[in-house]
Amino acid sequence: ETGVTQTPRHLVMGMTNKKSLKCEQHLGHNAMYWYKQSAKKPLELMFVYNFKEQTENNSVPSRFSPECPNSSHLFLHLHTLQPEDSALYLCASSQDILRGHLGDTQYFGPGTRLTVL
Amino acid sequence: GNSVTQMEGPVTLSEEAFLTINCTYTATGYPSLFWYVQYPGEGLQLLLKATKADDKGSNKGFEATYRKETTSFHLEKGSVQVSDSAVYFCALNVAGNTPLVFGKGTRLSVIA
């Protein structure tokens, strides 16, 4: 148990559906992240939020829309996805992204396994 | 730029064998180095870390030493168990410049 929870754990959706992934952290952290993990590929950072403000968007297609209403919650809204978007979506949190203190680490949730039909 | 290179898998070992998973890095500045583990069906968990040269991180029988001269952070365990079967990720973080940079991961399978 890392203090970061994700729901749902599994999601199957059609290409025309709209769904949302939810992440919640109970660590008092101020930075939250979305990653995409596809088979045989490195972890891909998608979005970063620091104190509820988006600080990084790694050229993610607009069919993925993040939302961070407060420092404890992060959503990923999905619409008109493609089969190649099927992957494990991981949420993580850290104290903050501007901390110059060496050794700060990210804490990961268990992920949502997404299948797009 | 910052990058991490780790050995290609999969690695298959018998129980009680010695494990080494190689990891080398390129970084601007002085990075912290990490090993994360991902068990089947789960997210990543921090396994161990080292924040400066010659530091040794250790946890659950795994060890890795931060070698600045060879820019390496190889993961070792003296006697693996079936329960160690997982994907292992080497990662680095440069102070004030999160997010983490990950390697591609190495899948380890331990057979009884």
Side-chain angles (χ1 to χ4, degrees), chain B residues 77-95:
Chain B
K77 186 173 185 181
S79 176
V80 293
Q81 306 300 311
V82 172
S83 57
D84 294 325
S85 299
V87 181
Y88 292 83
F89 294 88
C90 187
L92 69 81
N93 170 275
V94 178

Side-chain angles (χ1 to χ4, degrees), chain B residues 4-9 11 18-25 34-35 63-64 71-76 88-91 103-106:
Chain B
V4 173
T5 302
Q6 59 183 108
M7 62 189 290
E8 296 270 339
V11 174
F18 185 87
L19 169 71
T20 300
I21 300 178
N22 290 337
C23 171
T24 58
Y25 67 89
F34 307 86
W35 277 100
E63 292 184 341
T71 62
S72 65
F73 193 54
H74 304 321
L75 182 68
E76 297 182 335
Y88 292 83
F89 294 88
C90 187
K104 291 187 178 182
T106 303

Side-chain angles (χ1 to χ4, degrees), chain A residues 5 21-25 31-34 47-49 66-76 90-92:
Chain A
T5 58
L21 309 185
K22 179 182 176 182
C23 174
E24 184 173 2
Q25 56 93 2
M32 297 187 77
Y33 311 79
W34 279 117
F47 302 103
V48 182
Y49 278 81
E67 178 190 3
C68 188
N70 55 63
S71 293
S72 299
H73 293 86
L74 184 65
F75 294 90
L76 187 62
L90 293 167
C91 174

Side-chain angles (χ1 to χ4, degrees), chain A residues 9 33 37 45 103 105-106 108, chain B residues 32 34 36 38 41 49 99:
Chain A
R9 292 294 307 274
Y33 311 79
Q37 185 179 22
L45 179 66
T105 59
Q106 293 180 21
F108 285 81
Chain B
S32 293
F34 307 86
Y36 280 83
Q38 185 179 31
K49 66 180 182 183

Side-chain angles (χ1 to χ4, degrees), chain A residues 2 9 33 35 37 41-43 45 48 56 88 90 94 96-100 102-106 108-110, chain B residues 30-32 34 36 38 41-46 49 51 87 89 93-100 102-104:
Chain A
T2 62
R9 292 294 307 274
Y33 311 79
Y35 288 88
Q37 185 179 22
K41 281 187 167 184
L43 229 57
L45 179 66
V48 182
E56 192 149 344
L88 181 68
L90 293 167
S94 67
D96 60 62
I97 66 167
L98 295 180
R99 187 172 180 170
L102 283 173
D104 192 24
T105 59
Q106 293 180 21
F108 285 81
Chain B
Y30 300 97
S32 293
F34 307 86
Y36 280 83
Q38 185 179 31
E42 298 183 14
L44 277 69
Q45 303 174 29
L46 180 66
K49 66 180 182 183
T51 59
V87 181
F89 294 88
N93 170 275
V94 178
N97 186 25
T98 310
L100 291 166
F102 286 91
K104 291 187 178 182

